[in-house]
Amino acid sequence: MVDSLSVSAAPNGQLKATATVHSTRTVKLQALTVAVRSANGGNYDYPGATAATLGTQATKYTSGSRAFPAGTYTYFVAYKVHDSWRSLAPVKSFTSGTSTTPTPTATPTPTSPATPTPTASTPAGTPTQTASPTPTPTATSSTTPSAPSTAAAPVGIAGTWRQVFSDEFNGTGLDGSKWNSNWFGCSGCVTKPPNSAEASAYSPSQVSVSDGSLHLNLIQQPTTVGGKTYPNVSGLVTSNGKAQFTYGAFESRIYTPSSGTQMANWPSFWLDGQNWPTDGELDVLEGLGGSACYHFHSTAGGPGGCASGTYSGGWHTFGAEWKQGSVTYYYDGKQVGQITSGITSAPMYLILNNAINPDHSGTNVVPADMKVDYVRVWQH
């Protein structure tokens, strides 16, 4: 429980946060911090997250200091336990740029994320459509890439990072400034899949945001698009035309559908260029034949592999670091593979989709909900 929470001035025009918290029983926290959100949902968490043991006696936490671009922000206490980040009421606000006067707000308590989960070498997508290039978003000055669901950097990926994109899916609907809810189609249209091997069309009706997660729902519903009837319809989001990147660290925390101890269907988190395969395709995660796999497709081929271990039946973090000449893949913060051939350098946009492939019938499950806690992108 939060007994007190406030923001105060620090040297050099920066701010710091102070919180007093307690628990009804003794609990060891992996981390305790004060999280901050800008008006458009950007992450500006205070530095200095620390491990703590809470009990019935009040514990005081003081964050590190940081500067904020001019604007209004909400802030709240967040803590990590059992590898899951959670948030506490109250949610307060302050304004930076003129004077800093913290005031309580009626903003509801942010939804707590749930907890992390994840052989053939089939491409996650073989798009043939071409769209007009879009500018790569720039990072907001002084943005700290941290949030209640993760640390101040990509999980397991070393280096100094600045966050340039994020969506925590804490609202009640998809953020249309960041995502499209179908594959290269008009707003609200049902579209064909990126890959002709898929057995589902994509409809915005199968995309929703609730309980702090993006939901991509696959259901059995014969759907005809472009003269072809697909036995299923599912959910997909893409940042094409709204955000694209050249190099960086890309991470998403995902709860994939499961078939026993295996990953069901063909859930995917990937990036794609404007001209496939010339511009490249970076598959951070694709469920293939029950396994969690990664690939990089270009005119040079499609090398990749599948991670050992079980990445289904719970929340897991899937990430990749893309830099000149290589992509290194990280699942739950551990390196699971690296590709150093055929790596392209053209900008790519983000895609998440809950696909299904009839060739993997042994692990297919319908209906199935692919849940996404967050998507984040960092660059140096």
Side-chain angles (χ1 to χ4, degrees):
M1 298 179 64
V2 178
D3 303 307
S4 65
L5 175 63
S6 62
V7 167
S8 59
N12 302 317
Q14 297 187 328
L15 301 174
K16 65 179 179 180
T18 302
T20 303
V21 296
H22 77 275
S23 175
T24 55
R25 58 183 178 84
T26 300
V27 57
K28 292 185 177 181
L29 307 181
Q30 294 169 273
L32 177 67
T33 191
V34 173
V36 182
R37 295 291 177 272
S38 65
N40 64 1
N43 302 321
Y44 288 79
D45 296 357
Y46 283 101
T50 183
T53 299
L54 300 187
T56 56
Q57 299 297 314
T59 296
K60 184 177 181 180
Y61 166 80
T62 301
S63 74
S65 303
R66 62 156 300 154
F68 293 86
T72 300
Y73 299 81
T74 55
Y75 65 106
F76 50 92
V77 172
Y79 66 97
K80 186 179 184 181
V81 62
H82 303 309
D83 294 321
S84 175
W85 278 94
R86 304 176 184 181
S87 52
L88 297 173
V91 175
K92 295 188 174 184
S93 71
F94 65 85
T95 300
S96 176
T98 52
S99 61
T100 301
T101 308
T103 55
T105 73
T107 307
T109 304
T111 305
S112 302
T115 26
T117 54
T119 136
S121 180
T122 306
T126 51
T128 56
Q129 298 88 339
T130 300
S132 56
T134 55
T136 301
T138 57
T140 303
S141 174
S142 301
T143 300
T144 299
S146 61
S149 317
T150 192
V155 178
I157 306 179
T160 302
W161 300 96
R162 59 187 176 92
Q163 192 175 76
V164 295
F165 177 92
S166 74
D167 197 336
E168 307 299 314
F169 303 112
N170 283 333
T172 57
L174 187 69
D175 186 343
S177 69
K178 298 176 180 179
W179 304 104
N180 309 300
S181 55
N182 53 18
W183 184 254
F184 286 9
C186 63
S187 177
C189 290
V190 178
T191 56
K192 65 180 182 179
N195 193 312
S196 60
E198 295 183 42
S200 63
Y202 288 100
S203 172
S205 65
Q206 301 309 113
V207 178
S208 62
V209 174
S210 63
D211 302 323
S213 298
L214 168 69
H215 297 263
L216 303 176
N217 284 289
L218 169 70
I219 62 172
Q220 184 176 7
Q221 179 178 298
T223 304
T224 302
V225 182
K228 180 176 179 178
T229 299
Y230 300 88
N232 308 290
V233 64
S234 190
L236 171 152
V237 295
T238 166
S239 70
N240 184 44
K242 299 179 179 181
Q244 61 179 21
F245 315 90
T246 298
Y247 304 141
F250 305 86
E251 182 178 288
S252 184
R253 188 163 174 260
I254 302 171
Y255 193 111
T256 64
S258 61
S259 175
T261 60
Q262 296 183 300
M263 190 173 292
N265 307 331
W266 195 356
S268 301
F269 169 41
W270 51 298
L271 293 84
D272 193 45
Q274 297 294 335
N275 297 285
W276 190 94
T278 304
D279 289 350
E281 174 192 323
L282 194 168
D283 302 327
V284 182
L285 162 74
E286 53 177 334
L288 295 173
S291 299
C293 306
Y294 54 89
H295 298 90
F296 194 100
H297 298 275
S298 70
T299 54
C306 299
S308 60
T310 300
Y311 292 93
S312 188
W315 289 91
H316 292 274
T317 301
F318 302 95
E321 181 183 11
W322 172 28
K323 55 186 178 181
Q324 186 174 7
S326 71
V327 177
T328 307
Y329 298 85
Y330 298 84
Y331 290 178
D332 290 338
K334 297 181 180 180
Q335 182 176 332
V336 296
Q338 185 178 65
I339 297 173
T340 57
S341 62
I343 305 301
T344 57
S345 59
M348 296 191 193
Y349 52 89
L350 305 164
I351 308 141
L352 293 130
N353 62 306
N354 188 9
I356 187 168
N357 187 333
D359 291 340
H360 300 163
S361 58
T363 55
N364 286 342
V365 174
V366 181
D369 183 14
M370 174 181 169
K371 295 182 285 188
V372 182
D373 179 21
Y374 65 78
V375 177
R376 298 177 185 148
V377 180
W378 294 264
Q379 291 178 331
H380 290 300

